[in-house]
Amino acid sequence: TCGSASAQTFKYEIDLSGLGDPSATSKPFGAAYNDTNGLLYVAIAGGFGANNNVVAVIDPATDLVVATIPVGLFPEDIAFDSTTGDGAVTNSTSGSVTFFDNSNNVISTLQLPDPFGIGSCYPFGITYHSGHYFVGTVDGSGEVYAIDATTHTLEPSYGFSTNYKSIGRMSVKSSNLLVA
């Protein structure tokens, strides 16, 4: 759905049906704008009965889907490296993060640890700050994983554990990571 940011009124709906797995619904979840290439990215999560596996790339100048990026199951949140324009998306059901360049090509996928052996750590929120992606999980561990934005590997010395059972979307303000 697109709306004018200044007026906050509904503009119209962009149809995302049929994207990704044709047997899954096209339920959009997270959305993020890439300042580097001027495109909007929407995670198409699907439903609990049938996960979807794509990120839709929308050109806001034309309101058309210009590409899809194949990712893991149940993609949820998207963040961009502010220096390169490369992006990352959390794949909740797959327990992974998929990295893509600002030309919408998949670079790699990182499988995250599964601390309870339940099949996934359920990564949810993701944000970028100072060379790292930070990923929160909803598996009950309270882990925030730090991933080097260049090598796409875990950086345990930057990650941390919270006292909370699940972690939603995160944000950075004045070099502080805000964890919901």
Coordinates of all heavy atoms in Angstrom, one line a residue, residues 41-86:
Y41 N 11.5 -1.9 -0.8 CA 11.6 -3.4 -0.7 C 10.6 -3.9 0.3 O 10.4 -3.3 1.4 CB 13.0 -3.8 -0.2 CG 14.1 -3.5 -1.2 CD1 14.5 -2.2 -1.5 CD2 14.6 -4.6 -1.9 CE1 15.4 -2.0 -2.5 CE2 15.6 -4.3 -2.9 CZ 16.0 -3.0 -3.2 OH 16.9 -2.8 -4.2
V42 N 9.8 -4.9 -0.1 CA 8.7 -5.4 0.8 C 8.9 -7.0 0.9 O 9.0 -7.7 -0.1 CB 7.3 -5.2 0.2 CG1 6.2 -5.7 1.0 CG2 7.1 -3.7 -0.1
A43 N 9.0 -7.4 2.2 CA 9.1 -8.8 2.4 C 7.8 -9.5 2.3 O 6.8 -9.1 2.9 CB 9.7 -9.0 3.9
I44 N 7.7 -10.5 1.5 CA 6.4 -11.2 1.2 C 6.5 -12.5 2.1 O 7.1 -13.5 1.7 CB 6.2 -11.6 -0.3 CG1 6.4 -10.3 -1.1 CG2 4.9 -12.2 -0.5 CD1 5.3 -9.3 -0.9
A45 N 5.9 -12.5 3.3 CA 6.1 -13.5 4.3 C 5.2 -14.7 4.0 O 5.6 -15.9 4.3 CB 5.8 -13.0 5.7
G46 N 4.0 -14.6 3.5 CA 3.1 -15.7 3.4 C 2.3 -15.8 4.7 O 2.1 -14.9 5.4
G47 N 1.9 -17.0 5.0 CA 1.2 -17.3 6.2 C 1.8 -18.5 6.9 O 2.8 -19.1 6.5
F48 N 1.2 -18.8 8.1 CA 1.8 -19.9 8.9 C 1.5 -21.2 8.2 O 2.3 -22.2 8.4 CB 1.2 -19.9 10.3 CG 1.7 -18.7 11.1 CD1 0.9 -17.7 11.5 CD2 3.1 -18.6 11.4 CE1 1.4 -16.6 12.2 CE2 3.6 -17.5 12.1 CZ 2.7 -16.5 12.5
G49 N 0.5 -21.3 7.4 CA 0.2 -22.6 6.7 C 1.1 -22.8 5.5 O 1.4 -23.9 5.1
A50 N 1.5 -21.7 4.9 CA 2.4 -21.8 3.7 C 3.2 -20.5 3.6 O 2.8 -19.4 3.4 CB 1.5 -21.9 2.4
N51 N 4.5 -20.7 3.9 CA 5.5 -19.6 4.0 C 5.8 -19.2 2.5 O 5.9 -20.0 1.6 CB 6.8 -20.0 4.6 CG 6.6 -20.4 6.1 OD1 7.5 -20.9 6.7 ND2 5.5 -20.2 6.7
N52 N 6.0 -17.9 2.3 CA 6.5 -17.4 1.1 C 8.0 -17.1 1.2 O 8.5 -17.3 2.3 CB 5.7 -16.1 0.6 CG 5.5 -16.1 -0.9 OD1 6.4 -16.4 -1.6 ND2 4.3 -15.7 -1.3
N53 N 8.6 -16.7 0.1 CA 10.0 -16.7 0.1 C 10.6 -15.7 -0.9 O 11.6 -15.9 -1.5 CB 10.6 -18.1 -0.3 CG 10.2 -18.5 -1.6 OD1 9.3 -18.0 -2.2 ND2 10.8 -19.6 -2.2
V54 N 10.0 -14.5 -0.9 CA 10.6 -13.4 -1.8 C 10.5 -12.1 -1.1 O 9.7 -11.8 -0.2 CB 9.9 -13.3 -3.2 CG1 10.1 -14.6 -4.0 CG2 8.4 -13.0 -3.0
V55 N 11.3 -11.2 -1.7 CA 11.2 -9.8 -1.4 C 10.8 -9.1 -2.7 O 11.5 -9.3 -3.7 CB 12.6 -9.2 -0.8 CG1 12.5 -7.7 -0.8 CG2 12.9 -9.8 0.5
A56 N 9.8 -8.3 -2.7 CA 9.3 -7.6 -3.8 C 10.1 -6.2 -3.9 O 10.2 -5.6 -2.8 CB 7.8 -7.3 -3.8
V57 N 10.5 -5.9 -5.0 CA 11.2 -4.6 -5.2 C 10.3 -3.7 -6.0 O 9.9 -4.0 -7.2 CB 12.6 -4.8 -6.0 CG1 13.3 -3.5 -6.1 CG2 13.4 -5.8 -5.3
I58 N 10.0 -2.5 -5.5 CA 9.0 -1.6 -6.1 C 9.7 -0.3 -6.4 O 10.4 0.3 -5.6 CB 7.8 -1.4 -5.1 CG1 7.1 -2.8 -4.9 CG2 6.8 -0.4 -5.7 CD1 6.1 -2.7 -3.8
D59 N 9.4 0.2 -7.6 CA 9.9 1.5 -8.0 C 8.8 2.5 -7.6 O 7.7 2.5 -8.2 CB 10.1 1.6 -9.5 CG 10.7 2.9 -10.0 OD1 10.6 3.9 -9.2 OD2 11.1 3.0 -11.1
P60 N 9.0 3.4 -6.6 CA 8.0 4.3 -6.2 C 7.7 5.4 -7.2 O 6.6 6.0 -7.1 CB 8.6 4.9 -4.9 CG 10.0 4.6 -4.8 CD 10.2 3.4 -5.8
A61 N 8.5 5.6 -8.2 CA 8.2 6.5 -9.3 C 7.1 6.0 -10.2 O 6.3 6.8 -10.7 CB 9.4 6.8 -10.1
T62 N 7.0 4.7 -10.4 CA 6.0 4.1 -11.2 C 5.0 3.2 -10.5 O 4.0 2.8 -11.0 CB 6.6 3.2 -12.3 OG1 7.4 2.1 -11.6 CG2 7.6 4.0 -13.2
D63 N 5.3 2.9 -9.2 CA 4.5 2.0 -8.3 C 4.4 0.6 -9.0 O 3.4 -0.1 -8.8 CB 3.1 2.6 -8.0 CG 3.2 3.8 -7.2 OD1 4.2 4.0 -6.4 OD2 2.3 4.7 -7.3
L64 N 5.4 0.2 -9.6 CA 5.4 -1.2 -10.2 C 6.5 -2.0 -9.5 O 7.5 -1.5 -9.1 CB 5.8 -1.1 -11.7 CG 4.8 -0.3 -12.6 CD1 5.3 -0.2 -14.0 CD2 3.4 -1.1 -12.6
V65 N 6.2 -3.3 -9.5 CA 7.2 -4.3 -9.0 C 8.2 -4.5 -10.1 O 7.8 -5.0 -11.2 CB 6.5 -5.6 -8.6 CG1 7.5 -6.7 -8.2 CG2 5.5 -5.4 -7.5
V66 N 9.4 -4.1 -9.9 CA 10.4 -4.2 -10.9 C 11.3 -5.4 -10.8 O 12.1 -5.8 -11.7 CB 11.3 -2.9 -10.9 CG1 10.4 -1.7 -11.3 CG2 12.0 -2.7 -9.6
A67 N 11.3 -6.1 -9.6 CA 12.1 -7.3 -9.4 C 11.6 -8.1 -8.2 O 10.8 -7.5 -7.4 CB 13.6 -6.9 -9.2
T68 N 12.0 -9.3 -8.1 CA 11.8 -10.1 -6.9 C 13.1 -10.7 -6.5 O 13.9 -11.1 -7.4 CB 10.7 -11.2 -7.0 OG1 11.0 -12.0 -8.1 CG2 9.3 -10.5 -7.2
I69 N 13.4 -10.8 -5.2 CA 14.6 -11.4 -4.7 C 14.2 -12.7 -4.0 O 13.5 -12.7 -3.0 CB 15.3 -10.5 -3.8 CG1 15.6 -9.1 -4.5 CG2 16.6 -11.1 -3.3 CD1 16.1 -8.0 -3.6
P70 N 14.7 -13.9 -4.4 CA 14.5 -15.1 -3.7 C 15.2 -15.2 -2.4 O 16.4 -14.9 -2.4 CB 14.9 -16.2 -4.7 CG 16.0 -15.5 -5.5 CD 15.6 -14.1 -5.6
V71 N 14.5 -15.4 -1.3 CA 15.1 -15.4 0.0 C 14.6 -16.7 0.7 O 14.0 -17.5 0.1 CB 14.8 -14.1 0.8 CG1 15.4 -12.9 0.1 CG2 13.3 -14.0 1.0
G72 N 14.9 -16.8 2.0 CA 14.4 -17.9 2.8 C 12.9 -17.8 3.1 O 12.2 -16.9 2.7
L73 N 12.5 -18.8 3.9 CA 11.0 -18.8 4.2 C 10.6 -17.8 5.3 O 11.3 -17.6 6.3 CB 10.7 -20.2 4.7 CG 10.9 -21.4 3.7 CD1 10.6 -22.7 4.4 CD2 10.0 -21.1 2.5
F74 N 9.5 -17.2 5.1 CA 8.8 -16.2 5.9 C 9.8 -15.0 6.2 O 10.1 -14.7 7.3 CB 8.4 -16.8 7.3 CG 7.2 -16.2 7.8 CD1 5.9 -16.7 7.5 CD2 7.2 -15.1 8.6 CE1 4.8 -16.2 8.0 CE2 6.1 -14.5 9.1 CZ 4.8 -15.1 8.9
P75 N 10.1 -14.3 5.1 CA 11.0 -13.1 5.3 C 10.2 -12.0 6.0 O 9.0 -11.9 5.8 CB 11.2 -12.6 3.8 CG 10.1 -13.2 3.0 CD 9.8 -14.5 3.7
E76 N 10.8 -11.3 7.0 CA 10.1 -10.4 7.8 C 10.6 -9.0 7.8 O 9.8 -8.1 7.5 CB 10.1 -10.9 9.3 CG 9.4 -12.2 9.4 CD 9.0 -12.6 10.8 OE1 9.0 -11.7 11.7 OE2 8.7 -13.8 11.0
D77 N 11.8 -8.7 8.1 CA 12.3 -7.3 8.2 C 13.5 -7.1 7.3 O 14.3 -8.1 7.1 CB 12.6 -7.0 9.7 CG 12.6 -5.6 10.0 OD1 12.1 -4.8 9.2 OD2 13.1 -5.2 11.1
I78 N 13.7 -5.9 6.9 CA 14.7 -5.6 5.9 C 15.5 -4.4 6.4 O 14.9 -3.4 7.0 CB 14.1 -5.2 4.5 CG1 13.2 -6.4 4.0 CG2 15.1 -4.8 3.5 CD1 12.3 -6.0 2.9
A79 N 16.8 -4.4 6.2 CA 17.7 -3.2 6.5 C 18.7 -3.1 5.4 O 19.0 -4.0 4.7 CB 18.4 -3.5 7.8
F80 N 19.3 -1.9 5.3 CA 20.3 -1.5 4.3 C 21.5 -1.0 4.9 O 21.5 -0.2 5.8 CB 19.7 -0.5 3.3 CG 18.6 -1.1 2.4 CD1 17.3 -0.9 2.8 CD2 18.9 -1.9 1.4 CE1 16.3 -1.4 2.0 CE2 17.9 -2.5 0.6 CZ 16.6 -2.3 1.0
D81 N 22.7 -1.4 4.3 CA 24.0 -0.8 4.6 C 24.0 0.6 4.0 O 23.9 0.7 2.8 CB 25.0 -1.8 4.0 CG 26.5 -1.3 4.3 OD1 26.7 -0.1 4.4 OD2 27.4 -2.2 4.3
S82 N 24.1 1.6 4.9 CA 24.1 2.9 4.4 C 25.3 3.4 3.6 O 25.2 4.4 2.8 CB 23.9 3.9 5.6 OG 24.9 3.7 6.5
T83 N 26.4 2.6 3.6 CA 27.5 3.0 2.8 C 27.6 2.3 1.4 O 28.1 2.9 0.5 CB 28.8 2.6 3.6 OG1 28.8 1.2 3.9 CG2 29.0 3.3 4.9
T84 N 27.0 1.1 1.3 CA 27.0 0.4 0.0 C 25.6 0.3 -0.7 O 25.6 0.1 -1.9 CB 27.5 -1.0 0.2 OG1 26.6 -1.8 1.0 CG2 28.9 -1.0 0.8
G85 N 24.6 0.4 0.1 CA 23.2 0.2 -0.4 C 22.8 -1.2 -0.5 O 21.7 -1.6 -0.9
D86 N 23.7 -2.1 -0.1 CA 23.4 -3.5 0.0 C 22.4 -3.8 1.1 O 22.3 -3.0 2.1 CB 24.6 -4.4 0.3 CG 25.6 -4.4 -0.9 OD1 25.2 -3.9 -2.0 OD2 26.8 -4.8 -0.7

